[in-house]
Each structure stands twice: as C-alpha cells, then as structure tokens.
Amino acid sequence: MATVPPGIRLLVSFDRDQWYRALTFILTFLLYTSFHLSRKPISIVKSELHKNCTSVSELATIASSSGSGGSGQQPSLPTLHTEMDCSWKPFDKRNYKQLLGAMDYSFLCAYAVGMYLSGIIGERLPIRLYLTVGMLTSGLFTCLFGLGYVYNIHSLGFYIFVQVANGLVQTTGWPSVVTCIGNWFGKGRRGLIMGLWNSHTSVGNILGSLIAGYWVSSNWGMSFIVPGLIIAVMGVVCFLFLIEHPNDLKTMYAQNCSPGKSVPAKSWNGVNGHTEVYLQYKDNKTQSYDTELLLPRDSVYVPVQPVVVVKREAEPSPISFMGALRIPGVIEFSLCLLFAKLVSYTFLFWLPLYITKAAHLDAKKAGDLSTLFDVGGIVGGILAGVISDKLGKRATTCAVMLLLAAPTLYGFSMISGFGLGPTIGMLLVCGGLVNGPYSLITTAVSADLGTHKSLKGNARALSTVTAIIDGTGSVGAALGPLLAGLLSAGGWDQVFYMLMTADFLALLLLLRLVTKELTSNKSRPISAVELKEH
C-alpha cells in the first residue's frame, strides 16, 4: 500500500478552525490589497496629466524660428503640436501642482471625515454586506475617473467629485477588515501576524503602480479602469466567502446539524397531532460509554427533540465615540498616526512625480522605481511587529523608528541626485522606517486598544476604536499631499523639511507612553495580556 504524500499529511494535520482562520487571513489580505491598488494610479498618472513641457516648447521654438527663417510657412504647426502633446487640461496651467494637490486633498479629506462615521456604522451592520457595497461602489468611481480620458472630460469639478465620492466609500474597508482579523486572531503573536497581514498596503501599492504604469503613457484611462474592475470583482468575492466571526460558523453548523443524517429516524403523529421524531440505535452502531448507560443494547426507539443550547452572554452594546476616546492610549496613538500617516501618504501620492523631476525619468520608470519604497514598507511593518511582540513595548518600537526616520528622509533628499544605486538603497530604508510605525499603529496597536481590558470583553468596540485611530491618521494623510503641492512650488527641499518636522511631532506625542513602558515592570507582550476570546 502506497504511503500518503507528505504534502497531503500536512494538509490534513490542520483542523477545520485553522483552515477557516487561514481563509480569513488570506481573503482580508486580498480585499484590502485591492483597496490600495485602486488608490495608487493617481500618483502614477500625475506626471502624465502635466508633462514636462519645457522640452516640447524648446523644440517648438526652434522649429518655428527655422521655419520662419527658411520659407516662413510653419509658424502655426509647432503651437498645435505643443497643445496636443503636452498636458491634459485643466492641469496644463502653471498652478498644476496646486490642482493635483487639491485632487489628493479632496479624496483624503472625504476619507478622513467618512472614517469617523464608518466605524460606528460598521458596528451596526453586517460587515460582509457593508464591505461588499463599499468595494463595488469604489470600483465604480475608480472607473469613472478613467472614463474621463475615454470621453475627453476636462472639467476639474468632475475629477474632484469622483475623488470625494471614492474617498467616502473607501472608508468601509479598513474598520471592516481589521474587525474581521481581530475576531479571528484574538490572541497570540499579534504584532507578527498583523505585521505580515498589513503588508497588503504595500503589496497593493506595488501592484497599483505596475498596473497603472503599464498604460500610463499610452492610455492613462486604463490605469484607473483596470484597478476599478479588480476591486469590484473582489467585492463579489467578499460577498461570497467572507466569514465575519467564528461564531457564525458555529451557528451554521448548529442549524445544519440534523439527527436524521447520523442515525436512522422514524416519525409518526404524536400527542395533539405533533410529529415526534424517534432515533433508532442498533447494535452495529458505535456507542459511547455514556450512551450505553442510558440505552439498552437492544434495538429501541427513543423519542428526542432537537435542542440547540447556546452559552452566550448578553449582547454588548456598541461603544460610544467618547467612550472609545477614554480608552488609555487611544488619543496619543491617534495623534501620532496623524503625523506618521502624513509622511507615508505624501510619499504615496508624490513620490513618482518627485522621482520624475529629480532623476529625470519617464512616468513608467518613476512608477516602477517608487515601488521600492513599498517593498521597504513590507519589511519595516513585519520588523516592527516582531520587535514589539518580543519587547512588549509598542510605543517604544514606534518611537525608535520615528527617531531614525527623520534623518533618513533628509539623506534621501540629498542623495537622490547621485544616481540610481543610492536612490534605490535610500528608498528601501525610508520605506521601512516610515511605514513601520504606521503599520504597527493601524493594526496591532488598534487591535490591542480595541480589546483593552477596560472594555470587559466588548468586542464590538474594535471597529469604533480602529475608525477613530485611522480616521485621525487620515486627517494627516489629507494634509500631507496638500502641503506637498503647496510647498513644492518653492522647491522640494521644503517638502522634506515638512516631512521631517512631522516625524519629530509624532515622536513627541508618544513620549508619555514610552516613559510609561520603560518604567513598567511588566515585560510580557501586550498581545499576551489575558483577553477574553471574541
């Protein structure tokens, strides 16, 4: 008889709950990957919406002067060429940076405002349906932006409207997926697990950059339409497969459990016309010791009644906004994330354009190169989770990375003009140090605070706490790209000074928590605190 292959032995070694936990981990990872994938195209397309028209204008001037010096018949052709091939109206004006910044700000401001409401709404609606609707509508608005190219739309109001609407519907994503992952992974190495899981942001940014970069020079509308279709398809997948809570499975199995499927059954009319179900136990059926004590060995009919006993506490009420703010650490981490996310999202929306201007690369190459920042972010997020698990000090881990990030940002601004090699190295290091604290706060820290012992096991607070922390961070995410658009007019150095200042402010906001952690005698990780399983 042939031996069972080792791969099959590995698969069958996992129980049913482990398989469902793995499914939830992978599915929520892919769902939020599609969210970030659909946000990235705007940063890639910026350099196409406003091209570097200097070279085109110089060629037009040379051609005009040579034409007028020779036969005097070609003065109008270069002007036509410049208008056709340079920039996409209305981003062809001198204030194009402010206009592009306004588009970023409209999306992120709507996202920040909507996030505060999203967590509260999400606690009161089925997460699966809430997330599905959000993904489908987000796909619609992402495609609409791309259709602006297809139908030759040059109205700034149209693009602003699409960005605002998309920002609002995308707020359904983060509280929903964090709540799901928190429900399934209530204990254990939360920093490591969520550090790995949170790499979906960087993976989404990388895929979004590659997809948008493929079409950006030939048909930038497809740079939005394809990601829009992807997130819509993932919305359908969410509807079909997402399991919100392990208890949902227990309820399903309890409902599907039929005594007649396990043993033969007979039924006839009983007292007062009620149908009685009788189970037949036979000698050839395996019986437990308890069964043998209750049932004779002979074939008998035992009247039974299907009863489902559910041990459950009273349904906890959703936590209020002010109640969530009173949880120790929520305010500090929320304000810290404001500045940390300001830095991260400035890179997200402006890095490809900066590389285009500083390294003199085309839009596709700049977009591909910018993915290295996200690769560093994946490593940084995982390292932050592992270190904070090992030390049991979330705030201290974030503070050290923020302290190192500020001088690294200055180094990147100085070294980016020294060639491709140093730029690649600094992109990786900056990505790790900038996204590490951001990743840790939005995942493990949010889950820790959302299941804080002061909540007494109220798992319904997780969505609201997550929304408050990420919503406050989104205010910084809205301000960062806007300030970058305004400051870049005076030179990119001013943008980097702003980013370094934001890092130092984020560090200052954590000092009280860092002091508390360092003076505490408890050395075990935060995630190991005895929390009630949700």
Side-chain angles (χ1 to χ4, degrees), residues 71-93:
S71 59
Q73 298 177 352
Q74 297 179 338
S76 61
L77 292 178
T79 303
L80 178 62
H81 177 78
T82 302
E83 292 177 355
M84 289 177 60
D85 293 345
C86 190
S87 299
W88 183 267
K89 294 180 180 180
F91 306 103
D92 56 341
K93 302 178 176 61

Side-chain angles (χ1 to χ4, degrees), residues 392-514:
K393 294 176 173 60
R394 306 282 198 217
T396 305
T397 304
C398 292
V400 171
M401 299 186 82
L402 289 168
L403 183 63
L404 296 175
T408 305
L409 290 172
Y410 180 77
F412 176 69
S413 67
M414 294 292 102
I415 208 171
S416 56
F418 286 88
L420 196 59
T423 301
I424 290 174
M426 292 302 294
L427 276 173
L428 292 170
V429 176
C430 285
L433 294 176
V434 168
N435 283 344
Y438 163 42
S439 169
L440 188 62
I441 293 173
T442 54
T443 55
V445 170
S446 296
D448 289 339
L449 297 176
T451 54
H452 194 269
K453 59 184 178 181
S454 64
L455 297 172
K456 300 178 180 179
N458 185 357
R460 298 187 69 180
L462 180 56
S463 180
T464 297
V465 171
T466 301
I468 289 175
I469 293 176
D470 198 54
T472 306
S474 298
V475 174
L479 291 174
L482 177 66
L483 292 175
L486 297 174
L487 295 174
S488 60
W492 289 103
D493 288 343
Q494 296 186 24
V495 176
F496 281 96
Y497 291 144
M498 180 264 292
L499 298 178
M500 288 185 283
T501 303
D503 260 331
F504 278 122
L505 291 174
L507 174 61
L508 289 175
L509 288 164
L510 288 181
L511 287 182
R512 187 187 72 84
L513 295 178
V514 171

Side-chain angles (χ1 to χ4, degrees), residues 60-73:
T61 304
I62 294 173
S64 177
S65 59
S66 62
S68 59
S71 59
Q73 298 177 352

Side-chain angles (χ1 to χ4, degrees), residues 100-235:
L100 294 174
M103 280 208 306
D104 296 339
Y105 183 74
S106 61
F107 173 88
L108 294 168
C109 188
Y111 185 85
V113 173
M115 183 59 73
Y116 288 108
L117 300 175
S118 181
I120 298 173
I121 297 172
E123 283 187 356
R124 292 159 173 81
L125 295 175
I127 291 177
R128 180 173 60 90
L129 299 180
Y130 184 56
L131 187 55
T132 298
V133 172
M135 297 184 76
L136 291 175
T137 52
S138 180
L140 171 65
F141 289 119
T142 303
C143 289
L144 275 179
F145 199 106
L147 290 175
Y149 176 87
V150 176
Y151 292 102
N152 205 29
I153 299 174
H154 296 279
S155 169
L156 180 64
F158 170 79
Y159 296 108
I160 294 292
F161 165 76
V162 172
Q163 287 287 84
V164 169
N166 202 10
L168 289 174
V169 298
Q170 286 229 346
T171 60
T172 60
W174 189 244
S176 300
V177 294
V178 171
T179 300
C180 284
I181 206 74
N183 288 338
W184 282 92
F185 296 89
K187 295 181 180 179
R189 294 170 294 180
R190 181 173 280 166
L192 172 60
I193 291 172
M194 289 199 161
L196 290 168
W197 177 75
N198 194 58
S199 62
H200 52 51
T201 59
S202 297
V203 172
N205 292 339
I206 292 171
L207 293 177
S209 297
L210 297 177
I211 292 173
Y214 183 81
W215 281 286
V216 63
S217 299
S218 58
N219 181 354
W220 63 257
M222 293 298 294
S223 298
F224 289 91
I225 293 174
V226 173
L229 294 176
I230 291 174
I231 190 174
V233 170
M234 290 306 299

Side-chain angles (χ1 to χ4, degrees), residues 29-74:
F29 181 95
L30 294 176
L31 293 179
Y32 210 72
T33 294
S34 65
F35 272 97
H36 264 263
L37 183 148
S38 66
R39 295 178 195 174
K40 187 64 177 178
I42 184 65
S43 65
I44 304 298
V45 173
K46 277 179 181 176
S47 55
E48 192 69 19
L49 294 176
H50 184 91
K51 294 183 180 179
N52 188 353
C53 301
T54 305
S55 57
V56 178
S57 300
E58 289 175 353
L59 290 174
T61 304
I62 294 173
S64 177
S65 59
S66 62
S68 59
S71 59
Q73 298 177 352
Q74 297 179 338

